Amino acid sequence: DTAVSQTPKYLVTQMGNDKSIKCEQNLGHDTMYWYKQDSKKFLKIMFSYNNKELIINETVPNRFSPKSPDKAHLNLHINSLELGDSAVYFCASSRGLAGGPSYEQYFGPGTRLTVT
Amino acid sequence: GQSLEQPSEVTAVEGAIVQINCTYQTSGFYGLSWYQQHDGGAPTFLSYNALDGLEETGRFSSFLSRSDSYGYLLLQELQMKDSASYFCAVRDEGGKLIFGQGTELSVKP
């Protein structure tokens, strides 16, 4: 009964490849997020969806394309992977829109991506 | 723009009390949150302050002073399992959660 799950947990791939990370939440939340955490543990938001609608799109290379088939799922596809994409990618969800009263965010276990 | 500052690392002994400070600069303020992250784990929510004052949850308390753009996380009766990274975060007017760089807390026996 995991709240926010991600697959895969580890992903090792070569430069130039295309890969996807999947995220699912069973909390009934309306808002989902993708974060990138670098080697210095800096956690930065990439995208946010509310009820399948993209509401936050940070300055992220367009090689990164999120997709939300329904409000319980948020996937991240990365084209033409580069060395600098190596990081831990976290999916998260929250009850409501981020701009309202603070709704705590529930994070998935993370996907450690290593590009060689 | 938005920025948050917190110490990069703090060391304390078991049973002690430690305070992790966070100062922030944001365009619009919608509350200060704290998250804990153990090595190899996911960030987990600890606390949230929207109004000035102290919020207590068990051994952890969080304080906010909006006039000083300052908050802190207070951990009491430290245990070894409290060794982790602690992040303060603020929500900006665009709805994003902006995280600080994190404070690595080491609890020694």
Side-chain angles (χ1 to χ4, degrees), chain A residues 45 50 58 74 79 94:
Chain A
I45 191 165
N50 179 259
E58 285 296 276
L74 180 61
N79 289 324
S94 65

Side-chain angles (χ1 to χ4, degrees), chain B residues 96-108:
Chain B
K96 296 192 300 289
L97 202 58
I98 311 294
F99 284 85
Q101 294 276 44
T103 298
E104 190 167 339
L105 171 64
S106 298
V107 180
K108 307 290 187 189

Side-chain angles (χ1 to χ4, degrees), chain A residues 35-73:
Chain A
Y35 287 88
K36 178 181 181 180
Q37 187 170 47
D38 62 22
S39 58
K40 296 187 178 176
K41 295 192 175 180
F42 181 53
L43 198 59
K44 191 175 189 315
I45 191 165
M46 301 172 69
F47 303 103
S48 175
Y49 273 76
N50 179 259
N51 278 321
K52 302 193 297 176
E53 182 186 344
L54 181 65
I55 56 171
I56 294 174
N57 184 353
E58 285 296 276
T59 308
V60 176
N62 57 16
R63 298 181 294 104
F64 291 78
S65 51
K67 196 165 286 186
S68 181
D70 55 61
K71 73 175 194 177
H73 295 85

Side-chain angles (χ1 to χ4, degrees), chain B residues 46-47 55-62:
Chain B
L46 288 178
S47 68
E55 295 277 346
E56 298 183 56
T57 310
R59 294 187 297 114
F60 294 1
S61 304
S62 56

Side-chain angles (χ1 to χ4, degrees), chain B residues 21-100:
Chain B
N21 298 320
C22 175
T23 56
Y24 59 86
Q25 283 187 318
T26 59
S27 51
F29 177 75
Y30 298 90
L32 181 71
S33 300
W34 289 91
Y35 284 77
Q36 178 193 59
Q37 185 181 25
H38 286 98
D39 264 352
T44 55
F45 174 82
L46 288 178
S47 68
Y48 169 72
N49 295 67
L51 302 175
D52 293 350
L54 191 69
E55 295 277 346
E56 298 183 56
T57 310
R59 294 187 297 114
F60 294 1
S61 304
S62 56
F63 171 83
L64 175 66
S65 168
R66 288 173 296 170
S67 60
D68 296 321
S69 298
Y70 163 76
Y72 66 71
L73 180 70
L74 190 74
L75 299 88
Q76 303 183 76
E77 300 171 23
L78 278 174
Q79 301 175 10
M80 298 294 289
K81 67 178 182 180
D82 297 329
S83 293
S85 293
Y86 292 85
F87 296 87
C88 58
V90 294
R91 193 173 307 279
D92 75 358
E93 59 190 2
K96 296 192 300 289
L97 202 58
I98 311 294
F99 284 85

